[in-house]
């Protein structure tokens, strides 16, 4: 199966595209599209990879599902399109950046600027049915994104993995803290942000680790 994805990622993930689970996943998505609106739009499903090539990746943020409201999802976890109101989790992320680094929230919630600096913003599930959270879970995407994480772990050293909430922490459990920096805290959702997300200082800690290993810091 020929999947359009950024070249350096395609080299590493092409074997996944040939596997039965991935063929079944594509068929499922095709059937879903006949009956429902899906997010993000087709050209943006692999946007996280397009904006952050394998060789450029320095930081990995793991999310769960794309946003399922109109115009929100753009293929990067926690990120929204230009002009879209900040969802609560993203608002809390910006609050923590301000608390940690003194940087005020930007006018746009589009986090492509992070991706262009080497931050891979990877949702575990890359598609979702409109207005139905979790609707594409357990259809194959998780197997694919596990392979993404495994390829990073196998080939790179001194990455920063940012794992917010129990789901991301379980997803990132294959990451060795001996070879990489693993930052864990509560999720930025309003339901849990006050249970350890606020004050985690993950943004300054990320930059400190990158600096220690001779890598350029992220301008959050």
């Amino acid at each position: 199966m020929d999947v359009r994805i950024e070249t350096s990622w395609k080299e590493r993930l092409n074997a996944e595209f040939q596997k039965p689970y991935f063929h079944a996943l594509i068929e499922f998505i095709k059937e879903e599209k006949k009956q429902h609106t899906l997010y993000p739009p087709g050209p943006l499903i692999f946007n996280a990879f397009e904006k952050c090539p394998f060789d450029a990746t320095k930081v990995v943020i793991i999310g769960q599902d794309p946003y399922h409201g109109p115009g929100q999802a753009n293929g990067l976890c926690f990120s929204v399109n230009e002009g879209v109101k900040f969802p609560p989790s993203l608002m809390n992320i910006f609050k923590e950046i301000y608390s940690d680094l003194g940087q005020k929230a930007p006018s746009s919630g589009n986090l492509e600027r992070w991706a262009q600096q080497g931050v891979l913003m990877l949702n575990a599930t890359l598609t979702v049915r409109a207005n139905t959270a979790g609707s594409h879970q357990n259809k194959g995407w998780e197997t694919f994104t596990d392979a993404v994480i495994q390829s990073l772990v196998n080939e790179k050293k001194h990455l920063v993995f940012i794992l917010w909430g129990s789901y991301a922490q379980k997803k990132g459990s294959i990451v060795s803290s001996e070879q990489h920096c693993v930052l864990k805290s509560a999720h930025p959702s309003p339901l849990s942000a006050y249970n350890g997300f606020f004050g985690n200082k993950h943004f300054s800690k990320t930059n400190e680790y990158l600096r220690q290993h001779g890598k350029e810091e992220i301008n959050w």
Side-chain angles (χ1 to χ4, degrees), residues 4 7 9 19 23 28-29 35 62 66-67 89 104 175 197-198 210:
R4 278 181 278 178
T7 305
W9 283 107
K19 292 180 179 178
H23 286 257
F28 165 75
I29 291 172
Q35 305 174 56
I62 297 179
Y67 294 122
S89 290
K104 293 184 178 179
V175 181
F197 175 78
F198 288 132
L210 293 174

Side-chain angles (χ1 to χ4, degrees), residues 63-66 123-128 136-138 141-142 145 167:
Q64 190 165 353
D65 258 8
N123 275 316
T125 303
L126 299 189
T127 56
V128 70
H136 286 187
Q137 290 179 4
N138 302 314
W141 278 129
E142 293 90 344
T145 50
Y167 184 92

Side-chain angles (χ1 to χ4, degrees), residues 2 42 52 68 71 98 117 157 200 203:
D2 186 36
C52 184
H68 53 81
Y98 180 68
Q117 297 176 76
K157 289 185 178 179
N200 67 21
F203 303 97

Side-chain angles (χ1 to χ4, degrees), residues 119-203:
V119 182
L120 179 68
M121 283 166 279
L122 180 68
N123 275 316
T125 303
L126 299 189
T127 56
V128 70
R129 189 188 301 172
N131 306 313
T132 313
S135 49
H136 286 187
Q137 290 179 4
N138 302 314
K139 302 296 183 182
W141 278 129
E142 293 90 344
T143 304
F144 173 72
T145 50
D146 281 348
V148 171
I149 296 168
Q150 192 69 62
S151 70
L152 289 164
V153 169
N154 288 350
E155 289 195 51
K156 297 177 83 81
K157 289 185 178 179
H158 308 311
L159 296 173
V160 180
F161 284 84
I162 297 177
L163 310 176
W164 294 327
S166 58
Y167 184 92
Q169 288 165 27
K170 184 178 180 182
K171 182 86 173 168
S173 62
I174 62 171
V175 181
S176 165
S177 57
E178 294 178 8
Q179 289 186 307
H180 305 283
C181 175
V182 181
L183 300 176
K184 301 178 183 180
S185 79
H187 193 275
S189 158
L191 298 173
S192 56
Y194 286 96
N195 293 329
F197 175 78
F198 288 132
N200 67 21
K201 297 190 179 299
H202 280 181
F203 303 97

